[in-house]
């Protein structure tokens, strides 16, 4: 449907592919590799040189499913000539893998960039000292619905963005990631970090953050619920309400963004989060400048695996000189980590007390 000149089919939803893809060496054999990394690379035609995981049996099982090589040591994996090194490792292991890579190597680091800001700074120092061309895998920026949203904003269909709402009420299967079950930081560091990073890309860096993140009495995962307000001054309101413990059936669950501008608005349903990792169809609707109703944007792909295609495509193209800019380089990703750190600090600080009754 075209209304007032707005053609939803014209919105950009994918990243250009590299002309000559480099081989990819993956570190880690966790569920994210089988659910997203390898499906994306196969779909895009990116060559997978092999994978390494210290759990050799786990690596062999995944490798047999995809018909790829298993490296015996990280040093052997790091010797693949001209490779893109794809770190799908827990955050505490990123630095060790980066240390093992040759100077000047190209790397894509799974988010978060370390477990905390101290580790993120150490990773940044390693990348600088070894002259690594490294980006962090904030792949939500490359989801088809997000690329289309950003294109609509860039073309002026929403006007100036003044409101961003993230509302999630769902049941997340944390047991899929064993290393998270005893981690001290979970919800913001491993999940909402995607939203904080995307908000930074859309709105810039906030002045500060008010946040509260907490667990739930029915399980031992450190944090699974978060409320946060990002301070963008007196014009922009930005709020996140996240509840991963809404385990009362699908009917009233939600996973959505509402983004309002001065002249238009957008609604996104993040279907992947609902019944993860199978997910539900994603939705992008836009009420464009000058329009009279919401218009559905036909989506050409989904967050999984297509965002991982775009994420890797940018890294590949940057390494080949086909993209002038590396999206989410470690220098920029450090600021997302700083925002995460500020949110945890805010959560640990006491709230403003209410005056006592006179």
């Amino acid at each position: 449907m075209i209304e007032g000149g707005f053609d939803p089919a014209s919105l950009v939803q994918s990243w250009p592919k590299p002309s000559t893809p480099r081989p990819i060496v993956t570190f880690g054999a966790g569920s994210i590799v089988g659910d997203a990394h390898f499906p994306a690379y196969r779909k895009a035609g990116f060559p997978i040189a092999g994978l390494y995981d210290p759990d050799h049996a786990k690596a062999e099982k995944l490798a047999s499913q995809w018909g790829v090589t298993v490296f015996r040591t990280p040093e052997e994996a790091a010797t693949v000539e001209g490779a893109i090194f794809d770190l799908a490792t827990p955050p505490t292991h990123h630095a060790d893998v980066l240390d093992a890579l040759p100077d000047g190597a190209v790397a894509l680091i799974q988010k978060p960039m370390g477990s905390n800001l101290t580790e993120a700074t150490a990773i940044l120092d390693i990348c600088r000292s070894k002259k690594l061309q490294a980006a962090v895998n904030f792949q939500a920026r490359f989801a088809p619905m997000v690329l289309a949203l950003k294109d609509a904003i860039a073309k002026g269909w929403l006007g100036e963005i003044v409101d961003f709402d993230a509302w999630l009420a769902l049941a997340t299967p944390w047991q899929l990631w064993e290393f998270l079950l005893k981690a001290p930081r979970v919800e913001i560091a491993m999940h909402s970090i995607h939203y904080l990073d995307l908000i930074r890309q859309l709105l810039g860096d906030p002045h500060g953050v008010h946040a509260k993140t907490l667990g739930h009495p029915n399980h031992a995962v450190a944090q699974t619920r978060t409320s946060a307000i990002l301070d963008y001054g007196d014009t922009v309101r930005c709020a996140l309400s996240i509840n991963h413990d809404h385990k009362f059936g699908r009917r009233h669950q939600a996973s959505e963004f509402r983004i309002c501008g001065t002249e238009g608005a957008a609604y996104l349903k993040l279907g992947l989060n609902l019944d993860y990792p199978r997910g539900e169809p994603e939705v992008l609707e836009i009420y464009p400048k000058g329009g009279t109703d919401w218009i559905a944007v036909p989506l050409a792909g989904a967050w999984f695996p297509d965002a991982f295609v775009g994420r890797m495509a940018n890294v590949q193209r940057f390494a080949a000189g086909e993209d002038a800019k590396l999206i989410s380089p470690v220098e920029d990703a450090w600021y997302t980590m700083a925002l995460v750190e500020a949110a945890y600090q805010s959560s640990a600080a006491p709230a403003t007390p209410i005056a006592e009754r006179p």
Side-chain angles (χ1 to χ4, degrees):
M1 177 180 180
I2 299 177
E3 181 175 342
F6 175 69
D7 180 5
S10 71
L11 297 177
V12 172
Q13 296 191 34
S14 62
W15 203 267
K17 303 281 181 60
S19 57
T20 307
R22 295 189 182 193
I24 299 169
V25 173
T26 297
F27 288 85
S31 64
I32 192 66
V33 178
D35 291 340
H37 288 239
F38 283 0
Y41 304 157
R42 280 287 162 81
K43 180 176 182 177
F46 299 156
I48 302 172
L51 69 94
Y52 168 76
D53 192 287
D55 185 336
H56 195 71
K58 186 177 181 181
E60 287 280 7
K61 181 178 179 180
L62 182 62
S64 66
Q65 294 170 359
W66 291 90
V68 302
T69 299
V70 174
F71 297 109
R72 292 166 295 179
T73 65
E75 291 75 20
E76 181 186 13
T79 61
V80 176
E81 194 72 25
I84 305 292
F85 296 104
D86 180 33
L87 277 65
T89 44
T92 53
H93 295 288
H94 293 341
D96 291 339
V97 175
L98 294 170
D99 266 330
L101 300 183
D103 289 357
V106 183
L108 179 58
I109 306 167
Q110 183 59 273
K111 61 80 191 163
M113 186 179 162
S115 298
N116 50 50
L117 192 59
T118 299
E119 290 185 14
T121 302
I123 288 169
L124 181 60
D125 289 342
I126 292 170
C127 293
R128 285 173 172 174
S129 65
K130 294 175 67 69
K131 295 182 171 55
L132 301 178
Q133 300 178 66
V136 175
N137 200 343
F138 288 125
Q139 22 68 22
R141 296 190 182 202
F142 293 87
M145 61 181 171
V146 172
L147 291 174
L149 168 68
K150 289 187 287 191
D151 195 30
I153 292 172
K155 291 173 177 173
W157 290 112
L158 274 64
E160 179 186 354
I161 303 303
V162 294
D163 214 278
F164 189 109
D165 253 326
W167 179 37
L168 279 74
L170 41 80
T172 297
W174 296 105
Q175 69 277 5
L176 293 178
W177 306 279
E178 292 183 11
F179 72 95
L180 291 182
L181 301 182
K182 295 182 180 180
R185 291 182 171 186
V186 179
E187 203 292 310
I188 298 175
M190 299 302 298
H191 185 91
S192 287
I193 188 172
H194 280 302
Y195 314 143
L196 297 177
D197 180 73
L198 177 58
I199 290 166
R200 283 190 58 241
Q201 189 184 35
L202 294 178
L203 300 177
D205 289 319
H207 306 310
V209 59
H210 308 277
K212 182 67 177 180
T213 188
L214 63 162
H216 191 281
N218 285 351
H219 57 71
V221 180
Q223 307 96 28
T224 52
R225 296 176 292 161
T226 298
S227 295
I229 299 172
L230 276 61
D231 181 3
Y232 281 98
D234 296 333
T235 301
V236 177
R237 185 188 73 94
C238 181
L240 298 86
S241 177
I242 316 291
N243 177 11
H244 293 272
D245 293 289
H246 199 280
K247 301 178 180 180
F248 309 103
R250 174 65 186 86
R251 182 176 176 182
H252 293 301
Q253 290 181 344
S255 177
E256 54 197 32
F257 294 164
R258 288 177 174 82
I259 299 153
C260 300
T262 53
E263 299 180 271
Y267 168 87
L268 286 79
K269 173 186 169 184
L270 290 72
L272 173 68
N273 290 331
L274 300 162
D275 191 23
Y276 181 91
R278 183 174 62 182
E280 296 180 5
E282 288 157 2
V283 173
L284 171 60
E285 295 182 359
I286 292 179
Y287 195 111
K289 174 183 177 180
T292 59
D293 201 353
W294 290 92
I295 299 174
V297 177
L299 295 175
W303 186 351
F304 280 31
D306 296 281
F308 290 79
V309 172
R311 171 66 279 185
M312 178 56 74
N314 168 246
V315 173
Q316 293 260 5
R317 286 174 57 86
F318 180 79
E322 295 174 315
D323 274 0
K325 182 180 180 182
L326 184 62
I327 306 299
S328 299
V330 288
E331 300 283 347
D332 177 74
W334 186 92
Y335 286 97
T336 294
M337 294 299 296
L339 177 53
V340 167
E341 190 72 26
Y344 278 106
Q345 290 179 8
S346 175
S347 183
T352 301
I354 301 170
E356 295 183 6
R357 188 186 301 272

